[in-house]
Amino acid sequence: MSAIYLKELRRRFRSELSAAFPLAEIDAIFYELIAYYFNFPRTVIAMEPATQLVEDEAALLSGALDALKAHRPVQYITGQAYFMDMTLRVSPDVLIPRPETAELVTWVAAQFSSENDTPVILDAGTGSGCIALGLKQYLPHAEVYAIDISDAALEIARYNSAAQDLEVHIYKGDLCKPESTTHSYDILISNPPYIPKSESGSLQAHVRCAEPHLALFVPDEDPLLYFRHLCDYAVLNLKDEGWMYLETHEDHAHYVRGLLE
């Protein structure tokens, strides 16, 4: 069985992905894949330049390269994404967690005490569960609930909750049909769909082509659709002195603020 140098495979990645990604991102993707498939450290090529892969091993990287060229994100290839010191399961049924969302979770957690506070929290549109799990990690005494309309997303969120050993109450719910619950929440948090469909062409191809449109886009004629429904959820279920934390489109923040007011 023939073998190929690992550094030659890296050269192929750099050459064939150069039109889609900057060099640093190509290398980061390559190192993530060799860590996932072979448990190789990032320094393997520098420290062991003679490292080779047999044909079957090289085929794994070649298949991943083909998937990347077809705009499949590396996180969907490996089935995992990193978020706030957690490794979470992901699939094309859920958004890939972003650093901006981790920033949102950190912002919320910083306003409460991990030792004493026991807020009741609802994560609306949980997807992979990253927000709910991040908050439960930072605020272990919080009572955290999470809803999503997608059965596939709920399955992933429940898996992640169990894998991280973090108790989050996860159930099916439709943001477009706000309803009273048996809980009165201290915090309502959400990263809802907010990108107008007309802006899809401005997104990177691996986002536009691979990530779930249900979690990304809103009709052009109603870009505040889900924020209006979240306001209805708040009226029904948020405590009088409760907090709302929302991600939104940078061009629409002023309008969302007006809606909340």
Side-chain angles (χ1 to χ4, degrees):
M1 184 175 291
S2 60
I4 185 171
Y5 285 107
L6 188 62
K7 60 184 179 182
E8 172 60 23
L9 286 167
R10 186 182 64 176
R11 187 201 64 76
R12 278 189 57 200
F13 270 67
R14 287 176 169 181
S15 173
E16 297 184 29
L17 295 175
S18 61
F21 303 100
L23 178 60
E25 188 170 354
I26 295 171
D27 283 352
I29 290 170
F30 182 79
Y31 295 137
E32 183 172 344
L33 288 168
I34 64 173
Y36 175 75
Y37 287 127
F38 315 117
N39 201 30
F40 285 162
R42 294 176 63 91
T43 56
V44 63
I45 294 178
M47 301 298 293
E48 301 177 55
T51 300
Q52 294 180 307
L53 298 179
V54 299
E55 187 175 337
D56 288 347
E57 293 172 328
L60 293 173
L61 289 180
S62 294
L65 178 58
D66 289 340
L68 289 163
K69 288 160 62 177
H71 310 304
R72 189 174 182 86
V74 64
Q75 293 89 344
Y76 290 161
I77 296 172
T78 63
Q80 62 186 30
Y82 305 107
F83 184 81
M84 304 184 72
D85 300 323
M86 297 181 289
T87 301
L88 302 180
R89 174 180 286 183
V90 294
S91 81
D93 295 303
V94 299
L95 290 180
I96 297 166
R98 264 60 170 190
E100 294 83 0
T101 302
E103 183 180 354
L104 175 67
V105 172
T106 303
W107 180 30
V108 177
Q111 297 191 40
F112 294 86
S113 167
S114 62
E115 298 297 326
N116 301 315
D117 286 342
T118 58
V120 182
I121 302 171
L122 175 64
D123 172 21
T126 195
S128 67
C130 62
I131 289 177
L133 294 170
L135 287 172
K136 185 64 177 179
Q137 184 183 55
Y138 269 85
L139 301 170
H141 301 297
E143 188 173 358
V144 183
Y145 295 82
I147 63 171
D148 205 287
I149 195 173
S150 164
D151 291 324
L154 291 170
E155 182 178 345
I156 289 173
R158 292 186 181 115
Y159 174 92
N160 286 329
S161 176
Q164 299 300 322
D165 195 22
L166 293 169
E167 184 181 11
V168 173
H169 308 286
I170 300 168
Y171 59 98
K172 191 166 186 175
D174 186 351
L175 286 182
C176 293
K177 298 178 181 178
E179 58 185 0
S180 295
T181 69
T182 57
H183 309 285
S184 187
Y185 298 105
D186 298 286
I187 298 171
L188 174 58
I189 187 169
S190 184
N191 178 20
Y194 56 73
I195 302 173
K197 289 183 179 179
S198 60
E199 295 184 12
S200 63
S202 66
L203 300 178
Q204 293 176 301
H206 61 272
V207 175
R208 182 178 67 253
C209 297
E211 297 199 56
H213 286 194
L214 180 66
L216 286 172
F217 298 116
V218 288
D220 292 336
E221 62 273 14
D222 192 4
L224 300 185
L225 172 66
Y226 290 99
F227 296 100
R228 289 192 288 101
H229 292 315
L230 285 165
C231 284
D232 291 339
Y233 255 105
V235 169
L236 291 171
N237 301 296
L238 194 64
K239 293 180 181 178
D240 289 343
E241 297 182 356
W243 293 77
M244 291 181 72
Y245 298 86
L246 308 171
E247 288 195 49
T248 185
H249 193 295
E250 61 183 356
D251 294 338
H252 299 159
H254 174 76
Y255 301 107
V256 172
R257 178 175 177 170
L259 185 62
L260 294 173
E261 289 175 344

